[in-house]
Amino acid sequence: MSSTAPSGIQDVLHGGRLSITSVRAEQVLDSRGWPTISVALTLDDGSVHEAAAPAGASTGAFEAVELRDDAPEYSGRGVLNAVAGVEGAVAATLTATPWDGIRQLDDALRELDGTPNLARLGANAIVAVSMAASRGFAHLAGVPLYVWIAAQTGSDPLMPVPHFNVLNGGAHAANDLDFQEFMIAPVGVGSEQDAVRAGSETYHALQAAVRDQFHTAGLGDEGGFAPPIANPVQALDLLVAAIATAGYTTDQVKVAIDPAANGFYLGDGNYQVDGRRLDRRQLVDYYDGLLGDYPIWSLEDGMAENDFEGWQLLFERVGDRAQVMGDDLFVTDPARIRQGAAEHYANSALIKVNQIGTVSQTFDAIAAARENDMTCMVSHRSGETPDTFIADLVVGTGVGQIKSGAPARGERVAKYNRLMSIERSEPRLRYGLR
Ligand SMILES: C=C(OP(=O)(O)O)C(=O)O
Ligand SMILES: [Mg+2]
């Protein structure tokens, strides 16, 4: 544990039993304007702890599933059934007994749901309850959420490198760009403050270029620009030019991409990128070329979630030069991460709390990655709320990387602002990659 933790790790681990007196849930809107669920837990000391579920658009087939209403309202995407489940069965369970720890509470939620993928109560309902309960436990321990998370996971807190998604394509934008995310990562600056500044300055340099060249500043779901381009090379040229225009070198600010290859997988080992059909070997050649030509340090979901042969080819070719990361491949599932390590699919795992559904299983996913010398990046979803849980999660687990979209739009910057606030409150925390 870091020297930054308050005195007595046992106090943090066992701040007391969580006595929940009431559970409230409601339907609110996410950043795409679709309903999501927000939960508030009241404790016996009168304190209230809230959390809201995010929602993905390019979801993996093996994720825990959301519960959406089968009703005409909100095109069937309402969450009133999820709300009713939380205020009914979940509330009855949570208020029946005090809770010793988050794992005990999460296990009870899973048992109550009774399905492997949380389909009955909904992963959206359960994740919001689990995050709100974590805040309750941190409150009992009298420490910031990230300190409680560090104690739960035996981690050294670390300020992460933010990965700003500044050009959007795929399922997150209306353009013809097959690759979903083009991110800038200030790996070579000295602090979170400096990283946010680099992200903001590069974002604005890019904005000027996009306006100038395409006469538009239209945005994708994560706040990045979505100009009418189709070729990933054109996107990377824009990015590298913006980094230089903003006055940074590519040692200071590198690039990360999430092609989200499920979105352009044709099946049978074939993909379609910018109108060209590529088999898995040709796609690996293509990535290899991009890694040679551009300062790309991290490549997420380069292959489709079921193209295991493709993952092995990709990892063998570029795994010594780049972070090869599984998102839809691993879905924050400890068992899938372990299997991926054993089969040499990747050296990194993306971490999304709502993919697995509970906070304690998210800790398990990070532990599984660590056991196998894999890195992790904590991630938002494309549909978000101003909830900042993931900012504390990334600092507390000390994994050193986060992605939360563009450095613009309230639901994205809430996380970056929380990171800077943690850094201001604890300036001794180191910034950088793990
Ligand atoms: C954040 C992502 O998108 P979504 O939330 O739509 O799955 C992603 O694919 O990494
Ligand atoms: Mg992804």
Side-chain angles (χ1 to χ4, degrees), residues 56-58 172 180-181 222 258 300 327 352 381-382 403:
S58 66
H172 295 168
Q180 180 177 283
E181 301 176 21
E222 298 187 353
D258 176 8
E300 173 187 334
D327 169 15
K352 294 167 166 170
R381 299 308 304 246
S382 50
K403 67 171 189 176

Side-chain angles (χ1 to χ4, degrees), residues 222-236:
E222 298 187 353
F225 302 106
I229 55 178
N231 189 336
V233 165
Q234 204 181 350
L236 289 163

Side-chain angles (χ1 to χ4, degrees), residues 382-432:
S382 50
E384 270 291 338
T385 73
D387 190 301
T388 58
F389 190 91
I390 61 167
D392 283 76
L393 178 65
V394 70
V395 177
T397 55
V399 298
Q401 304 177 44
I402 186 172
K403 67 171 189 176
S404 178
R409 290 183 37 156
E411 78 281 2
R412 313 292 151 189
V413 300
K415 283 69 163 173
Y416 299 129
N417 288 341
R418 170 69 184 147
L419 289 173
M420 289 193 292
S421 158
I422 292 173
E423 185 177 68
R424 275 193 298 272
S425 70
E426 190 44 89
R428 285 173 300 171
L429 288 175
R430 183 175 78 78
Y431 166 85

